[in-house]
Amino acid sequence: MPKPPLERPDASPWPTHPLVLKETHAHQEGGKRLWSVTTKAFTGKNNAVEKMSCAEVEWEQEGNRLRGFVEKKASDFELKADLVILAMGFTGPGRNKIVDTLNLERDERSNIKADQNHMTNKKRVFTAGDMNTGQSLVVWAIDSGQQAASGIVNYLETL
């Protein structure tokens, strides 16, 4: 008879680990966490930052898909700053000679635009995965590739 898996009674299964907010020296010195905020501008003198202009944001949803953040009205505020470190993550597909040569259209997040069959604005040119939807899990890229393959078959059947 197989043994049950070893598990701590307080452990949460992956990927539902509890959110743990650790306190650091910055918090001990009065630093605060700000959630759902975008930075609009940096200002200062003599090549030194002094302030950040910010605004609160919220998710914009289209149907059952999250489209991105939109700024809340009248939520602008400023923060004093003397150092800014940018941690940007994935910012969209970079410049690409093939994309530029073909003049493929991009969406507001710089991903390659496509129709329901994954065809771009250029006939017979298809896109899928991160180039089309932005960076995500590999399983979504696989699904997107399969959907693009179906779109190609649909297109070929209309010829």
Side-chain angles (χ1 to χ4, degrees), residues 2-16:
K3 290 183 180 179
L6 295 175
E7 212 175 287
R8 292 188 335 231
D10 64 334
S12 297
W14 182 89
T16 59

Side-chain angles (χ1 to χ4, degrees), residues 24-37:
T24 67
H25 69 282
H27 300 111
Q28 293 167 355
E29 294 172 12
K32 294 182 177 131
R33 291 182 176 94
L34 300 176
W35 307 101
S36 301
V37 171

Side-chain angles (χ1 to χ4, degrees), residues 5 9 13 18-19 26 42-43 61 65-66 75 89-90 103 144 148 155 159:
L19 180 61
F42 300 107
T43 55
Q61 193 163 342
R65 183 175 179 177
L66 294 173
S75 67
F90 184 73
N103 230 2
S144 179
Y155 172 75
L159 296 180

Side-chain angles (χ1 to χ4, degrees), residues 42-55:
F42 300 107
T43 55
K45 297 176 194 157
N46 302 321
N47 293 322
V49 67
E50 294 175 349
K51 289 183 186 176
M52 293 173 31
S53 299
C54 303

